[in-house]
Amino acid sequence: MNAPTNPKELELQTVEFKLDGKTIVSYEGETILKAAKRHGVDIPHLCFKDGYRPDGNCRACVVEINGERTLAPSCCRSATPGMEVKANSERAVKSQKLVLEMLLSDMPDEGFKWVGDSKEEEQQNQHGELSTWAARMDVTVRPELKALRREKVASDISHPAMAVNLDACIQCNRCVRACREEQVNDVIGYAMRGGHSEIVFDLNDPMGDSTCVACGECVQACPTGALMPKGLIGSQTVDRKVDSVCPFCGVGCQITYNVKDEKIVSVEGRDGPANHNRLCVKGRFGMDYIHNPQRLTKPLIRKAGVPKDENAIQNPQDWSTVFREATWEEALEVAGGGLKKLKDKHGLKVLAGFGSAKGSNEEAYLFQKLVRTGFGSNNVDHCTRLCHASSVAALLEGVGSGAVSNQVNDVEHSSMIFLIGSNPTANHPVAATWFKNAAKRGAKIVLCDPRSTEISKHAWRTMQFKPDTDVAMLNAMIYTIIEEGLVDQDFIENRANNFEALKENIKGYSPEAMAPVCGIPAETLREVAREFATTKSAMVLWGMGVSQHVHGTDNARCLIALVSITGQIGKPGSGLHPLRGQNNVQGASDAGLIPMMFPNYQRVDNPAAHAWFEKFWDTPLDQKPGYTVVEIMHKITAPDSDPDKIRGMYVEGENPAMSDPDLNHARHALASLEHLVVQDIFMTETALLADVVLPASAWPEKVGTASNTDRMVQMGKKAINPPGEAKPDLWIIQQIAKRMGLNWSYQGPDDGVAEVYDEMRQAMHAAINGITWERLEKESSVTYPCLSAEDPGRPIVFNDKFDTKDGKVKLVPADIIPANERPDADYPFVLITGRQLEHWHTGSMTRRATVLDAIEPMATVSMNGEDMTQLGVSAGDVITVQSRRGEVGIHVRRDDGTPRGVIFIPFAYYEAAANLITNAALDPFGKIPEFKYCAVKLAKGGHAAPVMGYGTNDPKRQKVTSVS
């Protein structure tokens, strides 16, 4: 890596040297190229890219150094005291221009990459950075050189997202470094020798047939257009660039939208604190979902006499027989009026609201405020109930805060990275790059998961434990640490409570006793435990494989105990990090979009908090916690005599008809509602059961903030307007509030978003008081807790105390609690569900993105090859997966990383909805469903839906092919 240029970070020593006769100052280890640029001297360069390892192979940046016989590449040469450098000497400039001319002479007549604000500038810059430097250096190619250009290389357009034109390749190796050193995907290489040398994908495969994961890092790195986004071949002129934040996973990558003709034509990674220019396939190539022709553009009202049929919501593309178009005034009156009518008739407990983790903090805050002050109850929840509710319950109990202790890229300082129940290369791809980078520099990754996933290639140890045995495995590690005297005694004595109870509880959990339970050899359990306890710094990161169990809270309690008894928390590279799934699931929870907590996790049944919010909102509030997502579904089908029976719902940007467990029951419940209002950007499976559908705005169409998994509050900016008559979500929420009798008056641009944020900031003053709207507009990202304008924010918390009443961590013993439903003779397999790289959540967005749908169009079930042989099926065949609640027909994908007796199904496909099968049994503390474990049986054959995504009608796509 290049030496940082900020001396405040590392207190770097300075070096004085002469550049073109002037004395300048560089920092120790800084290259001549970077020092020159800081002092306003631009030296041509092509193989160099800021942030990448300098390679020095193009020689466009050579400079003359007094006393040295040969010219030196300034990109990989550091200045020394007294050195005299000439970047603009006749000899240096002549060499620089010669390199540019020779490279330019080999370029094709038409470039893939044109950059400019005018046609003239486009022609000047048709080969990207190479043309730009040639123009600046006044380089023209002599005819004699042009006549000697290399033989034309055929283009490769086999990949859905990217085009390869090696005719424009200058072999600078930036793409190789991007792929192998930054993203660590190891797809792009450099093959052959001399004049036959070339860039290759895997074993010289077409890019579309390679193992490329389409992160696009190579595209962003390429200086000439040899690698291009497919949709941008031709003119690169755009109307404007808008900085924002990625709307997909919780990593919170900062991005730049390129807008042309009021469409987002491409996305670039920005140097944000969470991603440092990196993106994944969704962030770079998945943004065109907002331009899908199925966008809702007008308010819709259910036609009179059309029943709600939960059995007829497959493929919700043609809704014209169900709904009629309406004006906004009519739709809002029916929507808000229907909710108010139910409240007035039946009381305060009969309404509920599902908010969204895909929207902004401001929307989440305003939505929960609407439910509490307008509906009159705390019946408000969102998808955190379906992902990390148990993690938050354990963290609040143990350390007093539901947020992460350290940020993801703090693994740079970790000597061990303990990953459990997470598949980061698929679910958090940019975060996974930090893990892979750490492994390359020597950190030990320990992967703990029932499935052996891609990150295992980089792991020091992979502990592939039996599903549902997390507590057994973790308690065996805790046992080893205590038994062998490896605890951090000082930490236990000064910063922990209840250690003796923990010590007593684990007496029966020796590795030898737990090995047959969890399937990990005792010696491996002891080895990993010893390394965790004695290593300099260990970070624990986990996903929903930990949380989505009836014992999810106990799983997280064990992780808290593991870091506490070893003192691996409250310092760089050590701590607890539940990786958040959606872009704003952290922020939505912080803002109070949960039934038992006001904003900033203040319990609704805490008298002091209750009184404060009653005064702050000037409204009487319900003193009891509301119902959670799954509980609300049960309350909808409660008898009419139940005073808490849910009769009406307002759903903003959620899709419970796809995301809830036991979908047959959930869909029946939604169809049973007397009044359902759905606010979304597409006609989702949930919207098809609504009485009123309100067309909303996608993330790039509005202004707002989101809080990522790292506790960074980040600014999202509006790139384009919503289509048709679609409206910003914040406006719609305020209109519903008005019709519920609330007298809100948020003023200012974008429906008063800054005023809403400031009110939220007051409600969350203990966390974000120092993060003003103006500060975010200026800085884009600020980490909380941040209590004043001068506070830079705290990336690492719990340095000296925890957020508990006494400042100490509470250790909570955990025992083995079996899954609610175990395999038996009738249902012998275990089903695990989850996400995949290309698709996200319920697929309503990503499956409407052209590239993402093209790469992964078909629902598949992953199976071990031996199980496939026993069942008599091959990759691509159809099988039927059945549980006690439902069944799906689905195509088989071979995956030997999935153990025998286990299958894996992603939950993004409506035509093979995994949650038709899953178990709605709840963790008693986090109230989270057991998505990660249920019993199923398999049968060869069955009916699978055609291979097509939302809005894809290409008959070629319906051909079933092998997906192994």
Side-chain angles (χ1 to χ4, degrees):
M1 295 293 291
N2 296 323
T5 56
N6 184 355
K8 294 180 181 179
E9 291 182 2
L10 298 176
E11 298 182 357
L12 299 175
Q13 298 296 314
T14 59
V15 173
E16 285 191 355
F17 73 103
K18 286 190 175 182
L19 177 64
D20 293 329
K22 295 182 179 179
T23 299
I24 67 170
V25 176
S26 73
Y27 303 116
E28 187 176 18
E30 185 180 27
T31 64
I32 295 170
L33 180 70
K34 296 184 78 170
K37 186 172 183 178
R38 283 194 305 101
H39 288 83
V41 177
D42 277 339
I43 302 171
H45 55 273
L46 292 168
C47 72
F48 173 81
K49 180 173 171 60
D50 199 17
Y52 286 18
R53 173 184 58 79
D55 201 53
N57 69 67
C58 76
R59 284 323 200 244
C61 71
V62 292
V63 294
E64 189 174 2
I65 300 176
N66 279 8
E68 296 188 7
R69 181 176 60 84
T70 59
L71 298 175
S74 61
C75 69
C76 53
R77 183 70 180 272
S78 298
T80 57
M83 176 185 282
E84 295 187 21
V85 179
K86 298 174 184 176
N88 291 311
S89 70
E90 181 180 357
R91 183 185 176 200
V93 170
K94 185 176 181 180
S95 181
Q96 295 164 5
K97 294 176 73 169
L98 179 61
V99 168
L100 294 172
E101 183 186 7
M102 288 192 296
L103 292 173
L104 200 58
S105 70
D106 260 346
M107 289 294 105
D109 293 331
E110 295 295 331
F112 265 3
K113 189 170 185 179
W114 293 356
V115 182
D117 296 321
S118 66
K119 278 294 180 185
E120 293 74 18
E121 192 174 346
E122 283 177 358
Q123 293 294 341
Q124 282 185 339
N125 296 284
Q126 61 177 316
H127 299 299
E129 294 174 34
L130 175 57
S131 293
T132 299
W133 281 113
R136 290 179 62 177
M137 299 289 290
D138 195 25
V139 172
T140 56
V141 179
R142 287 167 282 182
E144 299 93 325
L145 275 179
K146 195 69 174 175
L148 297 174
R149 77 175 299 271
R150 63 192 170 196
E151 184 178 344
K152 183 175 175 61
V153 181
S155 298
D156 172 9
I157 56 172
S158 59
H159 195 281
M162 293 168 281
V164 183
N165 181 28
L166 294 185
D167 205 27
C169 178
I170 61 172
Q171 298 181 356
C172 65
N173 278 344
R174 271 162 62 163
C175 62
V176 178
R177 282 172 280 155
C179 185
R180 306 188 81 166
E181 298 177 17
E182 298 299 308
Q183 293 272 353
V184 199
N185 289 323
D186 294 329
V187 178
I188 303 178
Y190 197 56
M192 312 299 284
R193 292 175 179 271
H196 299 288
S197 61
E198 61 180 343
I199 297 297
V200 297
F201 302 91
D202 289 340
L203 298 177
N204 208 7
D205 299 315
M207 191 182 201
D209 295 335
S210 73
T211 56
C212 172
V213 295
C215 68
E217 185 79 19
C218 59
V219 165
Q220 188 155 310
C222 181
T224 65
L227 292 164
M228 280 286 293
K230 238 181 179 179
L232 290 179
I233 298 174
S235 174
Q236 289 283 290
T237 304
V238 297
D239 299 328
R240 61 183 177 274
K241 291 176 174 283
V242 181
D243 290 340
S244 191
V245 180
C246 181
F248 292 110
C249 83
V251 173
C253 297
Q254 292 196 5
I255 59 176
T256 296
Y257 303 119
N258 291 319
V259 182
K260 183 176 183 179
D261 297 330
E262 296 310 308
K263 285 194 172 184
I264 295 174
V265 293
S266 68
V267 176
E268 299 169 1
R270 200 154 51 103
D271 191 15
N275 63 311
H276 294 294
N277 299 305
R278 302 176 186 187
L279 293 178
C280 76
V281 61
K282 291 189 289 292
R284 194 179 302 276
F285 298 116
M287 215 63 68
D288 68 337
Y289 75 91
I290 68 170
H291 302 304
N292 189 285
Q294 291 180 15
R295 281 293 300 273
L296 295 172
T297 59
K298 291 186 178 181
L300 304 172
I301 295 176
R302 180 171 290 272
K303 291 181 177 179
V306 177
K308 300 177 182 179
D309 185 0
E310 68 264 27
N311 297 313
I313 63 172
Q314 292 289 313
N315 195 9
Q317 296 182 37
D318 183 11
W319 45 260
S320 60
T321 59
V322 179
F323 297 98
R324 64 175 176 86
E325 293 180 349
T327 64
W328 267 106
E329 186 59 32
E330 180 189 12
L332 288 168
E333 287 301 325
V334 173
L339 294 170
K340 189 173 187 302
K341 183 178 179 181
L342 287 173
K343 174 189 170 184
D344 292 344
K345 182 178 180 180
H346 297 285
L348 301 180
K349 300 286 190 177
V350 301
L351 300 181
F354 285 174
S356 177
K358 298 185 288 291
S360 68
N361 286 322
E362 296 74 32
E363 293 161 10
Y365 172 80
L366 214 56
F367 189 90
Q368 62 86 33
K369 182 183 176 183
L370 164 64
V371 173
R372 299 188 201 280
T373 63
F375 292 6
S377 75
N378 292 309
N379 293 333
V380 62
D381 210 349
H382 75 297
C383 73
T384 193
R385 193 64 44 210
L386 307 177
C387 55
H388 267 302
S390 54
S391 302
V392 171
L395 288 167
L396 287 171
E397 170 190 68
V399 301
S401 168
V404 302
S405 68
N406 302 55
Q407 298 177 340
V408 170
N409 56 19
D410 193 41
V411 296
E412 177 186 357
H413 305 291
S414 301
S415 51
M416 176 182 279
I417 301 168
F418 192 86
L419 281 168
I420 179 168
S422 173
N423 182 6
T425 53
N427 297 338
H428 303 90
V430 171
T433 67
W434 306 124
F435 307 152
K436 292 184 283 187
N437 292 156
K440 286 178 76 74
R441 64 155 175 78
K444 294 179 177 178
I445 293 178
V446 175
L447 175 64
C448 306
D449 200 280
R451 301 171 68 222
S452 180
T453 55
E454 187 73 18
I455 201 74
S456 65
K457 296 177 182 178
H458 308 272
W460 169 66
R461 295 289 182 270
T462 296
M463 297 205 293
Q464 196 170 353
F465 61 93
K466 295 177 183 178
D468 192 46
T469 63
D470 314 59
V471 169
M473 181 187 68
L474 294 170
N475 270 354
M477 290 180 62
I478 294 170
Y479 176 100
T480 300
I481 293 166
I482 294 176
E483 180 205 37
E484 298 187 6
L486 301 176
V487 299
D488 185 328
Q489 202 62 46
D490 181 68
F491 193 98
I492 294 298
E493 290 176 1
N494 296 299
R495 301 196 58 191
N497 284 325
N498 213 33
F499 174 71
E500 290 303 320
L502 178 74
K503 182 178 179 180
E504 181 66 26
N505 187 73
I506 55 89
K507 285 183 177 179
Y509 288 95
S510 70
E512 290 70 24
M514 292 301 102
V517 177
C518 66
I520 307 298
E523 56 267 29
T524 302
L525 291 168
R526 288 186 178 275
E527 178 190 32
V528 172
R530 291 169 186 144
E531 184 68 25
F532 189 95
T534 58
T535 194
K536 179 182 178 181
S537 51
M539 178 98 80
V540 175
L541 302 103
W542 71 95
M544 291 180 288
V546 165
S547 59
Q548 289 178 334
H549 292 275
V550 292
H551 50 79
T553 303
D554 281 333
N555 292 345
R557 284 166 172 162
C558 290
L559 295 175
I560 294 169
L562 182 64
V563 301
S564 298
I565 65 172
T566 54
Q568 297 286 16
I569 190 168
K571 59 183 181 180
S574 301
L576 294 161
H577 191 121
L579 287 156
R580 307 299 180 175
Q582 296 192 40
N583 64 313
N584 199 35
V585 70
Q586 180 67 59
S589 300
D590 295 344
L593 204 60
I594 41 182
M596 65 288 295
M597 304 283 186
F598 290 128
N600 206 35
Y601 306 98
Q602 301 173 78
R603 287 198 61 88
V604 299
D605 51 8
N606 178 296
H610 186 270
W612 192 93
F613 276 96
E614 279 196 332
K615 182 178 180 181
F616 187 60
W617 289 331
D618 192 24
T619 307
L621 299 173
D622 187 5
Q623 297 182 13
K624 295 182 179 179
Y627 293 113
T628 63
V629 166
V630 177
E631 291 173 329
I632 285 171
M633 292 301 171
H634 290 306
K635 279 297 179 181
I636 294 172
T637 56
D640 285 344
S641 58
D642 187 340
D644 289 356
K645 176 183 174 67
I646 302 295
R647 300 173 183 272
M649 278 189 68
Y650 177 21
V651 177
E652 180 233 358
E654 286 283 290
N655 192 12
M658 274 290 288
S659 63
D660 273 32
D662 191 1
L663 281 186
N664 287 315
H665 175 265
R667 291 171 177 178
H668 173 70
L670 291 167
S672 303
L673 284 164
E674 296 177 38
H675 191 61
L676 174 60
V677 179
V678 173
Q679 176 177 322
D680 217 312
I681 61 176
F682 293 112
M683 181 58 70
T684 63
E685 291 77 10
T686 302
L688 267 178
L689 298 173
D691 295 277
V692 184
V693 180
L694 305 175
S697 51
W699 181 257
E701 297 162 355
K702 55 192 174 188
V703 178
T705 65
S707 301
N708 72 349
T709 191
D710 286 332
R711 293 182 277 106
M712 296 174 185
V713 183
Q714 303 194 107
M715 176 73 77
K717 295 183 180 178
K718 180 178 178 180
I720 59 174
N721 291 318
E725 296 178 23
K727 297 286 188 181
D729 293 79
L730 207 62
W731 180 86
I732 302 173
I733 295 169
Q734 293 180 63
Q735 292 300 313
I736 295 292
K738 178 181 178 182
R739 285 154 180 84
M740 292 298 299
L742 297 175
N743 187 28
W744 291 352
S745 180
Y746 294 103
Q747 305 295 321
D750 299 301
D751 306 299
V753 63
E755 188 175 340
V756 174
Y757 175 84
D758 189 63
E759 181 181 315
M760 180 184 73
R761 186 172 64 88
Q762 295 176 59
M764 297 173 58
H765 61 275
I768 63 170
N769 190 56
I771 311 177
T772 63
W773 185 262
E774 294 74 21
R775 182 174 178 180
L776 278 173
E777 286 186 310
K778 180 181 178 182
E779 299 181 27
S780 294
S781 176
V782 183
T783 298
Y784 71 84
C786 177
L787 305 184
S788 69
E790 297 75 29
D791 187 349
R794 293 179 60 191
I796 301 173
V797 294
F798 312 141
N799 308 72
D800 49 9
K801 66 177 181 178
F802 294 93
D803 288 346
T804 54
K805 288 183 178 179
D806 62 2
K808 295 183 178 182
V809 62
K810 180 181 179 182
L811 302 177
V812 182
D815 286 309
I816 295 175
I817 299 174
N820 178 263
E821 179 181 80
R822 306 283 294 179
D824 55 26
D826 295 326
Y827 296 88
F829 278 79
V830 171
L831 168 67
I832 298 174
T833 67
R835 295 189 177 100
Q836 60 190 136
L837 173 63
E838 293 80 10
H839 293 304
W840 178 74
H841 204 232
T842 65
S844 60
M845 291 161 57
T846 55
R847 296 195 68 202
R848 289 180 170 95
T850 308
V851 167
L852 303 181
D853 185 52
I855 295 175
E856 197 67 41
M858 182 170 65
T860 59
V861 52
S862 296
M863 288 182 65
N864 186 283
E866 293 184 29
D867 284 336
M868 291 170 59
T869 299
Q870 186 171 344
L871 191 62
V873 297
S874 301
D877 289 350
V878 175
I879 66 170
T880 298
V881 182
Q882 183 180 13
S883 76
R884 292 178 173 85
R885 290 156 294 280
E887 66 177 45
V888 296
I890 192 167
H891 298 280
V892 175
R893 166 178 259 146
R894 178 171 178 170
D895 175 17
D896 291 337
T898 298
R900 294 207 65 183
V902 175
I903 62 171
F904 173 84
I905 300 179
F907 56 80
Y909 296 85
Y910 68 85
E911 64 270 36
N915 288 3
L916 287 168
I917 311 172
T918 51
N919 190 359
L922 298 179
D923 176 293
F925 302 97
K927 303 295 181 70
I928 191 171
E930 189 157 48
F931 284 121
K932 287 294 186 285
Y933 197 103
C934 75
V936 297
K937 61 183 176 181
L938 313 180
K940 183 179 179 179
H943 173 72
V947 183
M948 53 190 293
Y950 291 103
T952 304
N953 297 304
D954 182 354
K956 297 177 184 177
R957 299 284 300 288
Q958 299 184 31
K959 180 181 178 182
V960 178
T961 58
S962 173
V963 291
S964 61

